[in-house]
Amino acid sequence: MHRLLNDEDSVINSGNELLLTTVASSNIEDEQTPRTSGSGRLSAIFLIINAALGAGLLNFPQAFDQAGGIVTAIIVQAVLLFWIVGALLILAHCADATCARTLQDALEGLYGRPGLIACSVAVALYCFGTCVTFLIIIGDQFDRVLSSVHGVDFCHYWYMNRSFTVAVTSCAFILPLCYSKRIDFLKYVSSLGVVAVLYIVALIVYQKCMGNFVPGPIKTSPTNWTDVFLVVPVICFGYQCHVSVIPIYACLRERTMANFALCSSVAIFVCVAAYSLTGIFGYLTFGSFVTSDVLESYSGSNAIVLIGIVAIAIKTYTTYPILLFCGREAVSNLWTNLLYSNESDVAIREPRRRVAIATVWFILTLVLALVSPDIGSVINILGSLAAIFIFVFPGLCLMQSAFPLHLNKDKLKLVAGILFILLGTFIFGVVFVQAIIHFYENPIPSIKLCV
């Protein structure tokens, strides 16, 4: 086991702009020299909201139905939120203790090189899969808009074909944002993504209040007690911002636990309101007839619905670079640990490595998105992997930071860490098995985009 890096000498690294300096001696220095760089509270809140709020928003109404109704789903969400918020604070605490700027840095500080490699692989796989999903979602929104505006034969025209629209718009709106060295560079586009999501939530509430929809049966309890776990992957996928939260914390102008707790609390409150309103009003509008993408249940000829479809595409454009940043850093960690031993070589080659990884990542995800027909089962599997980042990795960090067990609070940390790990492992196992069973019982259909 590796000792925590609490010594001032361990944080001297002039080449690392994101390195945390929250140890006591550094705080004194910061008070003498006020920081002018970094992101403020509002920027951090927007970044966290944009990282958490995503296309998973559209799956919440169906998840409410699968879980057995509104009350059951809200209770499950409330229970999970206690652990989700706790995990965010644990990660920030361990980032301070290990002077980490990414999740994998925190695992390296606590468990050494094996922790770095294991975490980097997990982060890279999750972020890569999520980025592919985002591009598929963008393609789905283009198909929906063009089908409504032009007609069902839209894809016979090369300039409206999915391959062309997704590739060109992604290169124009996503790729330029993928090369930033710091994640707070994305704070401006994140604000646009948050506004887009708020429009979608308002649209769903408005359609319920003003529309003339006849809902299907509305459940008041789950059919089987195990159905409550069907909402877990959607919630985990929806609230999963834990991969990006340490880079966001590292970029804060005022890097203190109190400031981060305020930012994360406000961000999670906005997410809870958005997800709950979408789930409740979307489910009440359609009942058991609701689809996995609630926007598909509305008429595409309605102008305000078309704006909502465009809004979810805009939101996805703004979230992709955040996931690519985290995945790029994970791949970079693996690259430098396997290929380089000289730290000076790592620093010199950083710009070229960053550009190379981001470019290859973008091209691979774009190609896979264009040949992948559906994301239904993918979201369930990604939701199970999200449980690893929400529960298991924070639990490992908390458990290791408890040693040596000198005080009672250290023992409480150890117990809490073990509980996080056990809960995360259980949720991952149950949700992953359910996703695989659902995949085999409901094979992916061939999708006919136009005639």
Side-chain angles (χ1 to χ4, degrees), residues 372-390:
S372 301
D374 186 71
I375 62 169
S377 298
V378 175
I379 287 183
N380 287 333
I381 295 176
L382 289 176
S384 66
L385 292 177
I388 300 296
F389 301 106
I390 295 175

Side-chain angles (χ1 to χ4, degrees), residues 4 24 87 114 138 143 186 244 265 317 340 353 427:
L4 296 179
I138 291 173
D143 289 349
L186 303 171
S244 54
S265 298
Y317 283 126
Y340 301 109
R353 184 174 65 253
I427 291 176

Side-chain angles (χ1 to χ4, degrees), residues 80-406:
L80 290 177
L81 277 173
F82 172 80
W83 298 88
I84 289 170
V85 175
L88 291 176
L89 299 178
I90 289 171
L91 290 177
H93 169 74
C94 292
D96 279 346
T98 59
C99 303
R101 65 185 183 91
T102 62
L103 179 60
Q104 51 271 22
D105 286 346
L107 267 293
E108 180 186 24
L110 294 167
Y111 290 94
R113 193 180 183 192
L116 171 69
I117 294 176
C119 186
S120 297
V121 170
V123 170
L125 290 176
Y126 176 82
C127 292
F128 187 85
T130 306
C131 286
V132 173
T133 302
F134 285 166
L135 294 180
I136 296 174
I137 291 170
I138 291 173
D140 290 343
Q141 309 318 309
F142 267 111
D143 289 349
R144 182 87 186 282
V145 171
L146 293 175
S147 176
S148 300
V149 174
H150 182 274
V152 294
D153 63 339
F154 70 92
C155 71
H156 292 307
Y157 300 86
W158 64 269
Y159 53 87
M160 288 189 287
N161 188 276
R162 184 188 187 100
S163 299
F164 179 81
T165 56
V166 174
V168 170
T169 58
S170 297
C171 289
F173 301 130
I174 294 179
L175 188 59
L177 301 175
C178 294
Y179 299 117
S180 61
K181 186 174 183 180
R182 293 168 58 98
I183 198 171
D184 59 351
F185 171 78
L186 303 171
K187 59 188 176 184
Y188 303 107
V189 295
S190 292
S191 60
L192 178 62
V194 172
V195 172
V197 168
L198 294 180
Y199 175 85
I200 295 168
V201 175
L203 170 66
I204 293 172
V205 174
Y206 174 81
Q207 289 291 319
K208 167 57 184 171
C209 298
M210 305 301 294
N212 297 316
F213 298 96
V214 179
I218 295 178
K219 297 178 182 178
T220 57
S221 61
T223 305
N224 299 305
W225 72 271
T226 55
D227 290 347
V228 298
F229 292 106
L230 295 175
V231 74
V232 172
V234 177
I235 294 176
C236 289
F237 184 70
Y239 286 97
Q240 203 296 109
C241 56
H242 298 64
V243 171
S244 54
V245 75
I246 292 182
I248 294 172
Y249 178 47
C251 288
L252 271 176
R253 186 180 303 119
E254 183 184 348
R255 291 192 291 259
T256 64
M257 282 295 297
N259 192 36
F260 175 76
L262 175 62
C263 295
S264 58
S265 298
V266 173
I268 293 299
F269 175 79
V270 174
C271 293
V272 170
Y275 284 132
S276 299
L277 289 173
T278 301
I280 292 171
F281 284 89
Y283 182 49
L284 291 177
T285 302
F286 301 105
S288 297
F289 297 154
V290 69
T291 59
S292 60
D293 181 344
V294 69
L295 284 183
E296 292 180 357
S297 300
Y298 299 106
S299 172
S301 60
N302 192 328
I304 62 174
V305 174
L306 285 179
I307 295 175
I309 296 172
V310 173
I312 197 64
I314 293 173
K315 171 66 182 69
T316 310
Y317 283 126
T318 64
T319 307
Y320 181 104
I322 295 178
L323 272 296
L324 183 142
F325 177 92
C326 298
R328 187 193 73 200
E329 291 300 299
V331 174
S332 180
N333 286 139
L334 292 173
W335 188 333
T336 55
N337 272 271
L338 295 176
L339 297 181
Y340 301 109
S341 58
N342 191 323
E343 292 185 1
S344 61
D345 289 342
V346 173
I348 293 173
R349 299 173 184 267
E350 190 276 332
R352 285 182 291 176
R353 184 174 65 253
R354 172 166 28 104
V355 172
I357 294 174
T359 303
V360 173
W361 181 290
F362 175 79
I363 293 174
L364 288 177
T365 55
L366 179 60
V367 170
L368 288 176
L370 294 178
V371 300
S372 301
D374 186 71
I375 62 169
S377 298
V378 175
I379 287 183
N380 287 333
I381 295 176
L382 289 176
S384 66
L385 292 177
I388 300 296
F389 301 106
I390 295 175
F391 300 102
V392 176
F393 283 152
L396 288 172
C397 291
L398 187 60
M399 185 176 67
Q400 181 67 5
S401 66
F403 292 100
L405 300 175
H406 291 316

